[in-house]
Amino acid sequence: MCTHTPKCPPADSPDREAAHVVAAHPEQGWSLLCNSVLVFEDTGELLPDGRIIAPHRPLATV
């Protein structure tokens, strides 16, 4: 899906969230990256192979 240079990181890469956004739906809470990863506003992810990455937002400090 990635056609720009330099290429975005693949979906199985640790830096997959650095890929460009190709479709954003903030009203629904998700964005599609050019590496076919769905990123949700709670920082969870759905990878193209169906694997789920649990939300990983930093914990608030008191």
Side-chain angles (χ1 to χ4, degrees):
M1 196 175 203
C2 183
T3 59
H4 47 271
T5 303
K7 295 265 186 213
C8 287
D12 59 353
S13 173
D15 61 343
R16 64 183 153 261
E17 295 173 11
H20 291 210
V21 174
V22 295
H25 291 276
E27 71 282 0
Q28 295 177 356
W30 62 270
S31 295
L32 175 65
L33 305 180
C34 72
N35 57 6
S36 299
V37 173
L38 278 172
V39 179
F40 298 95
E41 68 181 13
D42 69 354
T43 69
E45 301 171 14
L46 180 61
L47 303 183
D49 63 4
R51 286 184 292 153
I52 297 169
I53 306 297
H56 49 274
R57 94 172 35 144
L59 297 175
T61 57
V62 178

